[in-house]
């Protein structure tokens, strides 16, 4: 079942009308509280409306023009046919992982390989988890992603159908990465709204890798919301590779909470997309937490990539690290707005935030705004931003050692990226990403 969004009315009204017709299409096994949350979310979306440039948080990103297209909103569990050969370029065969393939936001079991999971670990679609593990889903679903102030989170909450689900019980170590390969397919222009939930309980350890790719040239808009919970003394590493192509746009919202003595790291790299907006929010709701947010954008053509982050320190004795870098070529644009919030009473916080950008052409643009909001006095917090071009002295030095000008520029750009890439703890993934970056830089100077 699909719904065509009517382009003769406001985008907000299209979604509201679609919800009234199809609001029964919910998660399998949805209980009354989640059903009510859907109703509350569409009401809030109607109040907020699609964000535009009049909002400070969306000042440099016009998402409304991308949403105002004749998309199809798929609401049935139909999955387009995808062959193993179609996804072969994206599987990262060198990475030994539990692999789950999602096509248009739904799990395709025929393409997945999630055997030999540790006892008690659940890796599945969110709809399946809602039916088979309702207590876990109800405890965490909708608790970390705020739809009261975020219109697109409200829209996702209203229309949620399926997505990725991970549950790692207390004390369990998942040795291999859990790899979610997201692909879009089909001939229609699609508006997709997957919802992911990752729960890593007390003392557990898990690594989650996500990669987004497209098998279609049609226009797509993916409005993703990911929620995560990291329990006491737990460790969760998260990696996201965005490479859906020039006709794909997305808003990807990640929001999660940490408890005492936990470690949470998220690392995002963006290779392509018409308009990409990443919202990342971590709440360190426990003492002695470590939180890390890293990002890298390799811009080309007319890509527009907007990274908005918020690190909330609401308990004392924690530290956070945040580093985002951009390399912008052609007419690409990047936006960075990072905020660190230290609430009253959250003493002895050590927070670091940095955004660095290399602009290769006069038509590329960067808008950057690192922020600190501090209500405690015993803290060590810093933030900064730099923008510039390739260091020509460094290029000259490399050329004096026998390298060509082209090779010298490529090495300088690779060195600039290495500070982020060094945070990758999954070696095959780092090698895969590094090679894609090398190929991109080589194309810059061909």
């Amino acid at each position: 079942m699909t719904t065509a969004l009517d382009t003769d009315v406001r985008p907000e009204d299209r979604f509201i009308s679609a919800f009234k017709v199809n609001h029964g299409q919910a998660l399998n096994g949805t209980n009354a509280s989640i059903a009510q949350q859907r109703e509350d979310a569409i009401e809030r979306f109607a109040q907020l409306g699609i964000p535009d440039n009049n909002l400070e948080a969306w000042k440099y990103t016009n998402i409304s023009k991308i949403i105002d297209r004749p998309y199809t909103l798929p609401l049935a569990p139909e999955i387009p046919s995808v062959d193993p050969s179609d996804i072969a370029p994206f599987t990262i065969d060198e990475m030994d992982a539990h692999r789950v393939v999602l096509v248009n936001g739904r799990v395709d079991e025929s393409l997945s390989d999630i055997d030999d999971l540790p006892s008690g670990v659940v890796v599945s679609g969110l709809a399946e988890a809602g039916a088979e593990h309702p207590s876990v889903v109800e405890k965490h679903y909708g608790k970390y992603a705020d739809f009261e102030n975020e219109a697109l989170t409200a829209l996702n909450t209203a229309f949620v159908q399926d997505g990725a689900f991970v549950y790692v019980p207390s004390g369990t170590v998942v040795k291999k990465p859990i790899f979610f390969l997201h692909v879009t397919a089909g001939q229609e222009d699609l508006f997709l709204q997957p919802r992911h939930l990752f729960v890593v309980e007390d003392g557990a350890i898990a690594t989650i890798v996500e990669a987004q790719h497209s098998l279609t040239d049609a226009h797509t808009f993916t409005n993703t919301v990911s929620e995560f919970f990291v329990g006491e003394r737990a460790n969760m590493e998260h990696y996201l590779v965005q490479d859906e192509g020039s006709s794909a746009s997305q808003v990807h919202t990640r929001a999660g909470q940490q408890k005492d003595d936990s470690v949470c790291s998220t690392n995002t790299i963006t290779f392509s997309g018409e308009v990409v907006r990443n919202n990342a929010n971590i709440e360190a709701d426990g003492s002695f937490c470590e939180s890390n947010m890293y990002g890298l954008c390799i811009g080309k053509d007319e890509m527009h990539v907007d990274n908005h982050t918020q690190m909330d320190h609401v308990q004392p004795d924690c530290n956070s690290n945040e580093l985002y870098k951009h390399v912008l070529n052609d007419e690409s644009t990047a936006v960075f707005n990072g905020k660190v919030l230290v609430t009253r009473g959250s003493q002895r916080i050590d927070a670091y935030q940095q955004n660095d950008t290399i602009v290769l052409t006069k038509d590329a643009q960067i808008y950057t705004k690192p922020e600190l909001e501090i209500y405690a006095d015993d803290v060590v917090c810093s933030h900064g931003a730099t923008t510039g071009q390739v260091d020509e002295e460094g290029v000259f030095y490399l050329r004096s050692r026998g390298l060509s000008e082209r090779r010298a520029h490529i090495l300088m750009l690779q060195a600039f990226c290495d500070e982020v890439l060094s945070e990758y703890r999954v070696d095959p993934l780092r090698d895969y990403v590094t090679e894609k970056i090398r190929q991109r830089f080589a194309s810059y100077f061909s």
Side-chain angles (χ1 to χ4, degrees), residues 96-385:
D96 184 19
H98 307 286
R99 187 181 73 198
V100 182
V101 179
L102 292 92
V103 180
N104 293 352
R106 296 181 182 275
V107 173
D108 187 329
E109 294 184 359
S110 68
L111 299 173
S112 302
D113 181 8
I114 50 175
D115 295 334
D116 70 340
L117 285 167
S119 176
V121 174
V122 179
V123 178
S124 71
L126 183 58
E128 179 183 340
E132 299 189 4
H133 306 279
S135 60
V136 177
V137 173
E138 182 178 359
K139 182 178 179 180
H140 296 283
Y141 176 84
K143 300 301 191 293
Y144 314 115
D146 174 25
F147 69 74
E148 286 297 325
N149 297 304
E150 296 291 342
L152 292 174
T153 300
L155 188 63
N156 176 284
T157 303
F159 282 95
V160 58
Q161 296 298 305
D162 205 352
F165 176 77
V166 172
Y167 171 67
V168 184
S170 297
T172 302
V173 177
V174 184
K175 294 182 178 180
K176 297 196 299 186
I178 301 167
F179 179 29
F180 290 102
L181 175 57
H182 306 279
V183 295
T184 52
Q187 302 304 312
E188 297 178 296
D189 291 352
L190 296 175
F191 195 102
L192 304 171
Q193 302 199 80
R195 183 73 172 238
H196 310 321
L197 178 60
F198 308 137
V199 178
V200 183
E201 289 191 334
D202 297 355
I205 299 175
T207 299
I208 298 170
V209 178
E210 297 185 79
Q212 299 172 315
H213 298 279
S214 180
L215 300 175
T216 177
D217 293 327
H219 284 103
T220 60
F221 190 103
T222 306
N223 179 31
T224 302
V225 174
S226 298
E227 296 184 286
F228 58 86
F229 173 80
V230 185
E232 294 183 10
R233 305 176 309 284
N235 187 320
M236 187 190 83
E237 292 183 7
H238 176 261
Y239 302 91
L240 175 62
V241 180
Q242 298 176 316
D243 193 9
E244 292 187 294
S246 60
S247 60
S249 296
Q250 67 169 298
V251 173
H252 196 296
T253 299
R254 276 159 288 164
Q257 186 181 85
Q258 295 179 245
K259 292 301 184 180
D260 292 349
D261 298 290
S262 64
V263 178
C264 178
S265 301
T266 180
N267 201 320
T268 302
I269 183 165
T270 307
F271 285 105
S272 64
E274 183 179 3
V275 175
V276 177
R277 166 74 173 232
N278 292 311
N279 301 314
N281 188 338
I282 297 178
E283 180 186 59
D285 188 23
S287 297
F288 304 103
C289 291
E290 178 184 329
S291 311
N292 304 297
M293 286 190 279
Y294 304 104
L296 189 58
C297 168
I298 312 297
K300 68 171 184 174
D301 300 329
E302 297 180 352
M303 282 173 58
H304 183 106
V305 179
D306 184 344
N307 286 301
H308 261 61
T309 69
Q310 179 149 340
M311 181 66 235
D312 293 342
H313 287 286
V314 299
Q315 298 292 342
D317 300 300
C318 295
N319 68 78
S320 62
N321 301 285
E322 186 172 352
L323 176 63
Y324 276 73
K325 291 194 170 191
H326 310 97
V327 178
L328 305 178
N329 198 34
D330 302 323
E331 299 176 53
S332 58
T333 299
V335 182
F336 174 79
N337 191 170
K339 183 175 182 179
V340 176
L341 171 65
V342 180
T343 62
R344 186 169 286 105
S346 298
Q347 305 291 355
R348 298 173 298 282
I349 299 298
D350 188 340
Y352 167 82
Q353 181 190 87
Q354 183 68 32
N355 170 225
D356 299 319
T357 302
I358 289 180
V359 178
L360 297 175
T361 66
K362 63 181 180 61
D363 294 319
Q365 299 180 78
I366 173 68
Y367 302 93
T368 182
K369 185 184 178 185
E371 297 181 69
L372 299 176
E373 187 173 341
I374 301 171
Y375 298 97
D377 52 16
D378 185 8
V379 300
V380 178
C381 298
S382 64
H383 67 168

Side-chain angles (χ1 to χ4, degrees), residues 10-156:
R10 295 186 318 137
E12 292 89 344
D13 294 333
R14 299 175 209 164
F15 289 108
I16 294 167
S17 297
F19 181 84
K20 290 178 180 178
V21 174
N22 302 292
H23 68 277
Q25 299 284 334
L27 285 170
N28 293 342
T30 294
N31 59 28
S33 65
I34 292 180
Q36 182 60 52
Q37 196 174 90
R38 287 164 55 82
E39 299 285 347
D40 294 341
I42 197 65
E43 181 178 343
R44 186 59 179 150
F45 171 75
Q47 296 168 350
L48 292 170
I50 294 173
D52 57 30
N53 298 127
N54 293 320
L55 296 175
E56 180 65 25
W58 292 86
K59 184 176 181 179
Y60 301 108
T61 300
N62 186 357
I63 203 70
S64 59
K65 70 174 183 178
I66 305 299
I67 291 179
D68 193 13
R69 287 174 174 167
Y71 295 109
T72 295
L73 187 67
L75 295 172
E78 300 173 359
I79 301 177
S81 177
V82 174
D83 294 325
S85 60
D86 295 327
I87 65 170
F90 317 130
T91 52
I92 316 179
D93 293 337
E94 295 78 9
M95 184 172 68
D96 184 19
H98 307 286
R99 187 181 73 198
V100 182
V101 179
L102 292 92
V103 180
N104 293 352
R106 296 181 182 275
V107 173
D108 187 329
E109 294 184 359
S110 68
L111 299 173
S112 302
D113 181 8
I114 50 175
D115 295 334
D116 70 340
L117 285 167
S119 176
V121 174
V122 179
V123 178
S124 71
L126 183 58
E128 179 183 340
E132 299 189 4
H133 306 279
S135 60
V136 177
V137 173
E138 182 178 359
K139 182 178 179 180
H140 296 283
Y141 176 84
K143 300 301 191 293
Y144 314 115
D146 174 25
F147 69 74
E148 286 297 325
N149 297 304
E150 296 291 342
L152 292 174
T153 300
L155 188 63
N156 176 284

